Structure formats: structure tokens, C-alpha cells
Amino acid sequence: MVSEQARHSIETLFGKAVRANLAVDRETDVIDVSVNYSASADRPGTRLHVLTIASYLFRLTTVFHLPQDPAVSAYFTRQGEAGSLTEVFGEMANMCCGAMNRELGHHFMHLGMSTPNVLDSACVPFFDELKANYIARQRISINHAIAIDATLFLKAYAPIDFRIDAGAPVEETGTIELF
């Protein structure tokens, strides 16, 4: 139900969105995304940032596995960002999925995006209930020093086939203030 081209497009789209939105310093930070990474089990205390993009044809659930690690916290809060790691990362994850939503909007009509939800790592076994037709596990490496896993769950309600231009830039958008 999910073509190989659509699978590759989802992976490409995710990688572009992550590189454009998860860097604290876009000039110097290096972000690498490993596709189909075989993630290890989440450590206790890992926070899952969950966002969903949905249409009549599919549901794409993106889960960022954010470890509660001092190095991760120091990275995301180093620019004097107001708020906790959960708040700061949650906004960045929201911008990442917003970029994916905008790009998917060029291919599918009537898209909606959820607000970010934060869950405990104890919820991981229940993701099987999403009954995804395609699962992509990713490893996001930032400055070769910290790593965040992500899992994409695509549930198709009809055949899905589309192509993302890997060379096209991600649209720049404004940021939303955290209150």
C-alpha cells in the first residue's frame, strides 16, 4: 500500500526537516540522519515527543525519543532558550513536523497536524496499536556528540505513492514563542 518511492520520500522529507529545524546554531551545528537505524531500547526516563500529520489517505506519526541526558539538555538550552528541555525540544519538534506537513501539503489535500504530546518511554510497546504499514527508525546525530532516535509510523488507508524532490529547500518559517 505504501510504494517504495513514497517510503524514500518520507525518509528524505524527515531528514530535510530535521536538518532545517533541530539545529540550535544553523551556522555551525552538524546534523546527520541515519535512515533505518536499528534503535536500542529506550532507557527509563526517555521522553517521547509525539506528533501526527493526518489526511483522509494516511496518518504519519512521528516519535522523537528524547533521552533525559545532561549533554542533550545542555545542547538544546545552550542559547539561553526560555523553558525546560521538554518545552524547547517540543517546539523544535513541532517546527520539524510543521515543515513536513507543509511539504506533504503539496501532494495531499486536507492535512491536519496534532499538537505535540509528551509520553513516557513505557508507552513504546503500545505503538504496535498504530498498525503502521511502514515504520522508519532514524538516528539523529548532532555534532557527532549527542544522539536522538526517531520513529516514523505511516498508516495508509489507500495506496500511497508520491515523490519528494531531495534538492528542494525546506520552506523557512517564523518561530512561535513559548509562554
Side-chain angles (χ1 to χ4, degrees):
M1 268 182 104
V2 180
S3 75
E4 196 61 38
Q5 179 172 268
R7 292 171 188 226
H8 180 49
S9 292
I10 292 288
E11 293 165 3
T12 299
L13 179 58
F14 178 76
K16 286 173 52 175
V18 163
R19 286 182 199 90
N21 293 286
L22 288 189
V24 171
D25 184 341
R26 291 184 186 191
E27 299 296 320
T28 61
D29 290 341
V30 176
I31 297 183
D32 295 313
V33 180
S34 301
V35 178
N36 292 323
Y37 177 80
S38 181
S40 58
D42 285 316
R43 293 179 299 220
T46 296
R47 295 285 175 231
L48 308 174
H49 288 257
V50 181
L51 293 107
T52 301
I53 300 168
S55 78
Y56 298 116
L57 301 175
F58 67 87
R59 179 185 64 236
L60 176 62
T61 302
T62 303
V63 180
F64 292 94
H65 305 251
L66 186 68
Q68 299 301 293
D69 177 278
V72 172
S73 183
Y75 173 78
F76 285 106
T77 58
R78 74 180 183 189
Q79 296 292 332
E81 296 285 338
S84 69
L85 171 62
T86 298
E87 293 169 331
V88 171
F89 184 82
E91 182 56 35
M92 295 174 94
N94 191 47
M95 290 171 47
C96 181
C97 286
M100 294 187 338
N101 189 48
R102 283 187 299 283
E103 181 64 34
L104 287 168
H106 297 297
H107 304 277
F108 302 97
M109 295 177 56
H110 310 295
L111 292 177
M113 191 172 104
S114 71
T115 57
N117 292 290
V118 180
L119 304 172
D120 186 82
S121 62
C123 296
V124 168
F126 298 98
F127 285 125
D128 290 341
E129 295 302 316
L130 294 173
K131 300 186 184 337
N133 301 94
Y134 175 63
I135 299 172
R137 291 177 175 80
Q138 315 289 325
R139 163 74 40 109
I140 303 163
S141 170
I142 303 174
N143 296 331
H144 309 288
I146 63 172
I148 299 167
D149 291 339
T151 309
L152 301 146
F153 299 90
L154 181 63
K155 172 65 177 174
Y157 304 113
I160 303 292
D161 185 31
F162 67 101
R163 182 179 169 274
I164 297 291
D165 180 6
V170 174
E171 289 181 35
E172 292 287 327
T173 63
T175 59
I176 299 172
E177 290 185 35
L178 295 173
F179 295 97

